[in-house]
């Protein structure tokens, strides 16, 4: 067993998760994902253990176990396990089957948004911990993104809690409205563009499972501080994980939070478990942060666009080729219109333009509609991926055109300027709907016929699935 001992020795005092891997293999058969999730050891470390076990490892398809004939010789690697009372409470809780049902039916994760699904046990654990720690019945709680559906679990545990979810993923907002019966307020935003004004300085608690880059954690934390009613009295709660093989990554994130003026009230290790994220052991800690007076002074600002670890908005993604942007400009100015280029930003209303060209090649899906809603011009020319969901087929294109027909007539130029991109051309219609042209005004100031929960929002903040009824 010299090879195995060498692997274990390299992990020093942090070796206990690898002992758990050996225990799992000794007592049953598991696939690699289960070994990572149940032990919280990084995938590479688990793979090192498997390699060191050599011929003592039985394989049946993707299932692995230590051969029964030699299993007893691995008893020496058994280790005591800490029994968390909350784990038992979650495992036997009457709500767990319902939470599991919600999680099973949530829209599939989007890699481009760094979605990794938390386990049902984690979702319920979060809700029970929050309810035990804070007076949720008298608190306003904001979720910055909620693909994990923690808001549904909190509502089930404490029905009187006042809950709001902001998310970039329109599918998640629609799912929460369907499952939550609109008892959870849903608002659309891309936190890089900004926090909707109606949500500023209004919450006691903010919960988020953000992208695990320093840029992503820093942005979500800054928006969280903006959302707190009284920063020094409120709390920010974040899920965050990094591999113990790369502690420098954890240090970068902690520095980004400290720079914002956040103090670490607690870090609960391994609190969150996931289906996936094997590089970090399918686990993440829970950070409980209290803002200082410095945090309040650092509110606001526009975030960097590259905050994710995957896809066109990842920290390492390349930019758009100049030749594509030049062709976009040609389309925008056809007919003698004068050109103005703008960055992707629908947070504020700019001056009405003649022709505006925008690069939306990094659009994860929602940007196209929000740009059409939030930009006023005689013509918009928008460069997009050919595979954009709003361009996928005639039905998708017709649905988008119907939403903005009171403002723009759309033309879809597929495979333009090349076979990987498309251009959407939006030309202003003659008689425009005031609700659509005043997309940055409070809806209560634009129309009297607005549902109560939308009155303090702007049109650009309204979830997509609610726009057809609103626009009539």
């Amino acid at each position: 067993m010299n090879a195995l001992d060498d692997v274990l020795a390299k992990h020093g005092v942090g070796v206990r998760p690898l002992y758990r891997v050996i225990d799992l293999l000794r007592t049953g058969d598991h696939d690699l994902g289960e070994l990572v999730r149940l032990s919280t050891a990084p995938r590479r470390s688990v793979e090192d253990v498997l390699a060191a076990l050599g011929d003592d490892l039985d394989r049946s398809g993707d299932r692995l176990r230590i051969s029964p004939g030699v299993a007893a010789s691995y008893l020496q690697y058994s280790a005591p396990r800490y029994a968390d009372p909350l784990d038992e409470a979650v495992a036997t809780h009457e709500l767990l089957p319902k939470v599991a049902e919600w999680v099973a039916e949530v829209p599939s994760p989007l890699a481009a948004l760094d979605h990794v699904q938390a386990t049902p046990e984690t979702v319920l654990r979060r809700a029970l911990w929050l309810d035990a720690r804070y007076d949720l019945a008298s608190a306003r709680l904001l979720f910055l993104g909620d693909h994990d559906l923690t808001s549904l679990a909190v509502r089930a545990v404490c029905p009187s809690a006042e809950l709001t979810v902001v998310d970039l993923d329109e599918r998640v907002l629609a799912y929460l409205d369907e499952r939550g019966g609109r008892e959870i307020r849903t608002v659309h935003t891309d936190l890089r563009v900004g926090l909707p004004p109606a949500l500023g300085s209004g919450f006691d608690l903010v919960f988020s499972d953000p992208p695990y880059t320093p840029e992503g954690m820093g942005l979500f934390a800054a928006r969280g501080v903006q959302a707190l009613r009284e920063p020094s009295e409120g709390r920010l709660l974040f899920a965050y994980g990094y591999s113990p093989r790369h502690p420098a990554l954890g240090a970068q994130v902690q520095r980004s939070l400290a720079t914002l003026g956040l103090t670490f009230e607690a870090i609960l290790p391994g609190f969150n478990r996931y289906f996936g994220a094997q590089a970090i052991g399918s686990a993440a800690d829970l950070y409980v942060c209290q803002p200082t007076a410095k945090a309040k002074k650092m509110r606001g600002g526009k975030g960097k666009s590259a905050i994710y670890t995957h896809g066109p908005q990842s920290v390492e993604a390349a930019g758009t080729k100049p030749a594509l942007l030049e062709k976009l400009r040609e389309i925008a100015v056809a007919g003698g219109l004068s050109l103005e280029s703008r960055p992707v930003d629908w947070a504020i209303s700019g001056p009405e333009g003649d022709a505006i060209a925008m690069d939306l090649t990094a659009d994860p899906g929602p940007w196209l509609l929000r740009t059409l809603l939030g930009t006023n011009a005689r013509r918009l020319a928008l460069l997009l991926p050919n595979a954009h969901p709003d361009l996928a087929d005639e039905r998708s294109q017709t649905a988008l055109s119907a939403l903005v027909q009171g403002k723009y007539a759309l033309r879809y130029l597929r495979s333009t300027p090349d076979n990987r991109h498309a251009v959407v051309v939006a030309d202003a219609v003659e008689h425009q709907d005031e609700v659509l042209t005043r997309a940055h005004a409070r809806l209560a100031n634009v129309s009297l016929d607005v549902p109560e929960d939308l009155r303090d929002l702007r049109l650009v903040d309204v979830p997509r699935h609610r726009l057809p009824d609103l626009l009539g």
Side-chain angles (χ1 to χ4, degrees):
M1 298 185 186
N2 289 340
L4 179 59
D5 289 335
D6 289 343
V7 168
L8 299 178
K10 290 178 182 178
H11 288 75
V13 296
V15 73
R16 289 300 199 210
L18 298 190
Y19 281 18
R20 176 66 174 146
V21 172
I22 297 169
D23 265 344
L24 289 166
L25 291 168
R26 183 178 57 80
T27 57
D29 62 282
H30 302 274
D31 63 27
L32 180 58
E34 290 170 350
L35 292 172
V36 172
R37 188 172 67 254
L38 296 174
S39 69
T40 73
R43 178 183 176 120
R44 283 185 57 191
S45 297
V46 174
E47 291 173 335
D48 288 344
V49 169
L50 298 178
L53 288 171
D55 293 339
D56 286 350
L57 197 64
D58 281 348
R59 300 175 183 268
S60 177
D62 62 353
R63 310 297 291 183
L64 307 164
R65 69 175 299 160
I66 292 174
S67 302
V70 297
S73 63
Y74 287 90
L75 277 169
Q76 61 180 299
Y77 299 105
S78 296
R81 295 182 61 203
Y82 167 68
D84 188 334
L86 190 53
D87 286 340
E88 183 177 350
V90 168
T92 59
H93 202 286
E94 62 181 2
L95 285 174
L96 185 57
K98 176 57 68 175
V99 174
E101 176 188 318
W102 293 332
V103 170
E105 296 179 0
V106 72
S108 57
L110 295 177
L113 298 182
D114 282 4
H115 284 165
V116 180
Q117 184 62 55
T119 65
E121 291 80 5
T122 290
V123 175
L124 183 55
R125 167 188 265 262
R126 291 170 176 173
L128 295 175
W129 189 89
L130 286 167
D131 189 46
R133 180 76 178 182
Y134 304 108
D135 181 14
L136 297 185
S138 64
R140 298 188 69 200
L141 175 55
L142 174 66
F143 295 86
L144 300 181
D146 194 27
H147 185 269
D148 290 334
L149 310 179
T150 306
S151 61
L152 287 178
V154 170
R155 183 183 66 98
V157 170
C158 183
S160 58
E162 189 173 344
L163 310 177
T164 299
V165 173
V166 296
D167 208 299
L168 176 62
D169 190 342
E170 303 275 14
R171 307 170 310 154
V172 170
L173 298 176
Y175 185 84
L176 287 171
D177 268 0
E178 174 191 346
R179 290 292 189 169
R182 293 196 180 164
E183 294 178 14
I184 299 170
R185 191 184 195 196
T186 56
V187 181
H188 181 274
T189 195
D190 185 325
L191 293 176
R192 291 166 293 189
V193 170
L195 189 73
L199 305 184
S201 303
F203 296 88
D204 305 290
L205 298 167
V206 176
F207 185 95
S208 186
D209 196 338
Y212 287 177
T213 60
E215 296 83 359
M217 291 292 295
L219 173 65
F220 276 60
R223 297 297 183 235
V225 173
Q226 279 182 272
L228 289 177
R229 192 196 318 264
E230 187 58 51
S232 59
E233 297 177 5
R235 295 294 186 274
L236 304 176
L237 302 109
F238 301 109
Y240 173 66
Y242 63 92
S243 170
R245 301 172 71 105
H246 303 289
L249 296 177
Q252 289 180 43
V253 164
Q254 291 176 10
R255 275 197 300 271
S256 73
L257 297 179
T259 299
L260 283 172
L262 302 182
T263 185
F264 299 102
E265 187 173 85
I267 298 178
L268 308 182
F271 188 95
N272 306 277
R273 305 294 174 87
Y274 302 91
F275 298 114
Q278 293 181 2
I280 59 171
S282 299
D285 304 336
L286 180 66
Y287 283 41
V288 184
C289 299
Q290 181 177 14
T292 64
K294 176 184 176 182
K296 189 172 184 177
K297 296 176 182 177
M298 298 185 69
R299 294 186 184 196
K302 183 171 167 55
K304 296 179 180 179
S305 60
I307 61 173
Y308 296 102
T309 59
H310 299 88
Q313 302 160 89
S314 66
V315 174
E316 299 177 353
T320 306
K321 294 179 180 178
L324 296 178
L325 298 180
E326 184 56 37
K327 183 63 178 177
L328 175 70
R329 296 184 185 105
E330 291 177 11
I331 294 171
V333 300
L337 298 178
S338 58
L339 177 68
E340 175 188 346
S341 293
R342 291 187 191 174
V344 180
D345 185 352
W346 58 83
I348 58 173
S349 178
E352 292 190 11
D354 200 13
I356 295 175
M358 285 195 202
D359 177 10
L360 271 62
T361 52
D363 182 4
W367 286 4
L368 173 55
L369 172 61
R370 300 295 154 179
T371 300
L372 292 168
L373 293 177
T375 310
N376 293 327
R378 289 175 61 189
R379 173 177 295 154
L380 281 176
L382 309 171
L383 183 64
L384 294 144
N386 221 5
H388 190 282
D390 279 324
L391 311 183
D393 51 37
E394 184 177 356
R395 180 180 177 184
S396 301
Q397 295 173 19
T398 299
L400 178 64
S401 296
L403 283 176
V404 299
Q405 63 184 348
K407 183 177 183 181
Y408 289 121
L410 303 185
R411 288 183 286 138
Y412 301 96
L413 308 180
R414 300 296 304 277
S415 300
T416 302
D418 61 22
N419 61 7
R420 297 180 61 187
H421 295 87
V423 175
V424 173
V425 181
D427 287 302
V429 299
E430 185 174 354
H431 300 291
Q432 295 187 318
D433 186 332
E434 184 183 13
V435 175
L436 285 163
T437 59
R438 296 181 62 193
H440 299 91
R442 289 177 71 249
L443 284 167
N445 296 336
V446 180
S447 172
L448 297 177
D449 188 22
V450 177
E452 183 64 30
D453 65 323
L454 300 180
R455 291 180 62 81
D456 63 340
L457 297 181
R458 309 167 301 173
L459 186 66
V460 290
D461 306 324
V462 176
R464 180 171 182 152
H465 66 281
R466 301 193 65 181
L467 288 173
D469 289 340
L470 185 64
L471 297 174

